[in-house]
Amino acid sequence: MSDLVFVATSQDALFQETRGNLARLGYTNCARFSSGRAAAEFIKYNPSRIIIVDTEVEDLSLPEFVTALREVRTSEFLHILVISSERTEEFVLSMISAGCSGLVLRPYNLASLKNHMLQSEKLDHFQDGERETIDLADTMITQGRFEDAIGDLTMVVSHQEDLASKYFFQGCQLLVEKKWSEAILAFNQSLSRNQTFIKAYEGLARAYLGKNDTDRYRFYLQKAAEEYARLNNFAKVKKIFVEIVKYDVNAPNPYNTLGIRLRQEKQYKEAIQAYFQAIELSPKDENIHYNMAKAYFCDNQPEKSLECIRLALSLAPEHIEALKMFRLLTGVSWDDDPKAVFNPQKGK
């Protein structure tokens, strides 16, 4: 096997052990970094099919490091296998949340490592097949065969959306059952399919633009932008959103849509982060400030909620829902005292 396997660890002895085990499995091409930030920068420009994080790096915790790797290559699926002697439930959940592809707990045997490497290869095999379909559709679009491309891409989207949803909910159930390895596999199956149908959405947008169908062009761009927002790929969202507003100045902000969804799922802190990104794209949209106020309120941060309501009302003094919330938080009306502070007696 000639594919580069990237190994990150600050301990030379662990690197030698891992490299030796990988060599026994046929992976002879290994690179190593001990600095998390340096490793993330390397991965940004030098993609590797499989990244192994062995116990620790010098400047980042393991969850921080895995998150950093995901953030530098948000447009594609990375296989990040973590090897660690830490076994607490809190640690395992933090690694799942960060987005690891697999977790090998020390001490481990060669069969366990082999199984995780094979799972990574299976996901790669699936991705290669779907990428081939999408690449073929791109060629059709270039040739002006828009209907043929739309047919193929629509099948990809339909199939992969269903599977992505199925694997996501399966992963959630496995978490409840504390079946960590199975949950990780399910979530990664979901994520890999998410990234596949995002590319299909973009292809469909290009095909419909070729047919001069601007309504469907915008529709599929919006779908792609919303999925990129879920992956927190701000650069992609910004690029697509700029294109969408050329055709519709009132187009929904993808991060605002994500924030609403997260708030409805009671993931308030994540919703707040999504709204921050939404404001980066649309700083003068009073509805985003109002939605952020609701998320802060649900997260038991009423003072910050009030700050957001003031911003919303400074942009749109007649915003009915924001006026109601201002009274809820302060006990007085906006017209009577726009500088009123949070009143815990009347505002709760």
Side-chain angles (χ1 to χ4, degrees):
M1 299 177 187
S2 59
D3 288 333
L4 177 66
V5 179
F6 180 83
V7 181
T9 178
S10 62
Q11 300 185 38
D12 187 65
L14 293 182
F15 172 67
Q16 297 300 336
E17 176 190 336
T18 300
R19 183 170 66 174
N21 285 333
L22 289 169
R24 292 184 184 92
L25 297 176
Y27 299 89
T28 57
N29 190 11
C30 293
R32 179 207 174 188
F33 271 92
S34 58
S35 161
R37 291 183 176 86
E41 188 67 14
F42 178 84
I43 289 294
K44 183 176 181 179
Y45 300 104
N46 300 275
S48 171
R49 277 187 176 271
I50 301 173
I51 303 161
I52 294 178
V53 186
D54 198 336
T55 301
E56 63 180 23
V57 287
E58 289 175 352
D59 49 354
L60 296 172
S61 69
L62 287 186
E64 289 172 339
F65 181 45
V66 173
T67 299
L69 291 174
R70 290 282 181 215
E71 288 177 348
V72 297
R73 299 198 70 85
T74 50
S75 62
E76 63 188 80
F77 181 74
L78 291 179
H79 301 288
I80 305 174
L81 176 61
V82 174
I83 301 176
S84 177
S85 57
E86 177 66 66
R87 293 174 173 270
T88 65
E89 182 174 328
E90 181 182 2
F91 171 76
V92 173
L93 290 174
S94 72
M95 296 313 308
I96 293 174
S97 177
C100 74
S101 305
L103 184 59
V104 177
L105 298 176
R106 289 183 180 276
Y108 68 90
N109 56 40
L110 198 59
S112 177
L113 180 61
K114 180 180 181 180
N115 180 57
H116 281 87
M117 300 299 281
L118 287 174
Q119 290 293 346
S120 295
E121 288 182 15
K122 286 179 182 177
L123 279 174
D124 273 332
H125 180 70
F126 147 74
Q127 286 184 301
D128 287 342
E130 295 297 327
R131 274 194 293 261
E132 186 178 338
T133 300
I134 293 170
D135 289 344
L136 246 138
D138 283 342
T139 301
M140 292 175 189
I141 293 169
T142 303
Q143 296 170 345
R145 296 165 56 197
F146 303 122
E147 289 294 346
D148 290 339
I150 288 168
D152 285 356
L153 292 171
T154 299
M155 283 193 294
V156 170
V157 166
S158 177
H159 186 228
Q160 298 311 321
E161 275 187 316
D162 289 344
L163 285 175
S165 178
K166 169 191 167 185
Y167 282 119
F168 176 79
F169 288 111
Q170 187 181 92
C172 292
Q173 181 58 42
L174 289 165
L175 278 184
V176 172
E177 297 171 8
K178 297 187 178 183
K179 296 179 179 178
W180 312 127
S181 294
E182 293 94 331
I184 291 170
L185 178 59
F187 283 129
N188 280 281
Q189 292 274 15
S190 176
L191 181 58
S192 67
R193 283 160 173 81
N194 273 331
Q195 291 175 319
T196 296
F197 66 70
I198 291 174
K199 298 295 184 185
Y201 282 148
E202 292 179 301
L204 282 165
R206 290 195 302 275
Y208 279 114
L209 182 62
K211 285 169 59 70
N212 293 317
D213 187 337
T214 55
D215 286 342
R216 290 192 180 182
Y217 170 64
R218 285 188 293 106
F219 173 80
Y220 283 110
L221 278 185
Q222 188 74 37
K223 295 283 280 184
E226 288 173 6
E227 293 303 324
Y228 277 126
R230 289 178 64 184
L231 297 175
N232 201 25
N233 189 337
F234 184 79
K236 277 282 190 182
V237 174
K238 182 178 180 180
K239 182 178 179 181
I240 294 174
F241 190 60
V242 167
E243 182 64 21
I244 292 170
V245 296
K246 291 179 184 178
Y247 296 86
D248 181 6
V249 294
N250 297 313
N253 183 307
Y255 277 109
N256 186 44
T257 303
L258 174 63
I260 292 169
R261 183 187 307 166
L262 290 169
R263 180 172 53 79
Q264 290 172 341
E265 294 171 357
K266 299 184 179 181
Q267 299 181 53
Y268 304 125
K269 286 181 171 52
E270 293 83 355
I272 290 164
Q273 291 305 310
Y275 290 133
F276 271 118
Q277 298 283 52
I279 289 169
E280 284 287 315
L281 291 177
S282 310
K284 295 185 178 181
D285 188 329
E286 68 275 10
N287 291 307
I288 298 173
H289 292 286
Y290 169 68
N291 286 335
M292 183 181 274
K294 290 200 289 186
Y296 270 127
F297 186 75
C298 293
D299 197 45
N300 294 315
Q301 299 187 65
E303 290 85 358
K304 289 189 175 181
S305 177
L306 182 55
E307 289 176 19
C308 295
I309 285 296
R310 285 203 182 94
L311 284 169
L313 289 171
S314 68
L315 291 165
E318 305 300 320
H319 194 297
I320 294 173
E321 296 304 318
L323 288 169
K324 289 179 182 177
M325 194 163 185
F326 183 84
R327 181 179 284 277
L328 171 71
L329 292 168
T330 64
V332 301
S333 74
W334 174 257
D335 289 335
D336 288 341
D337 185 6
K339 294 182 180 180
V341 297
F342 172 65
N343 186 324
Q345 300 304 316
K346 295 180 180 179
K348 282 188 176 178

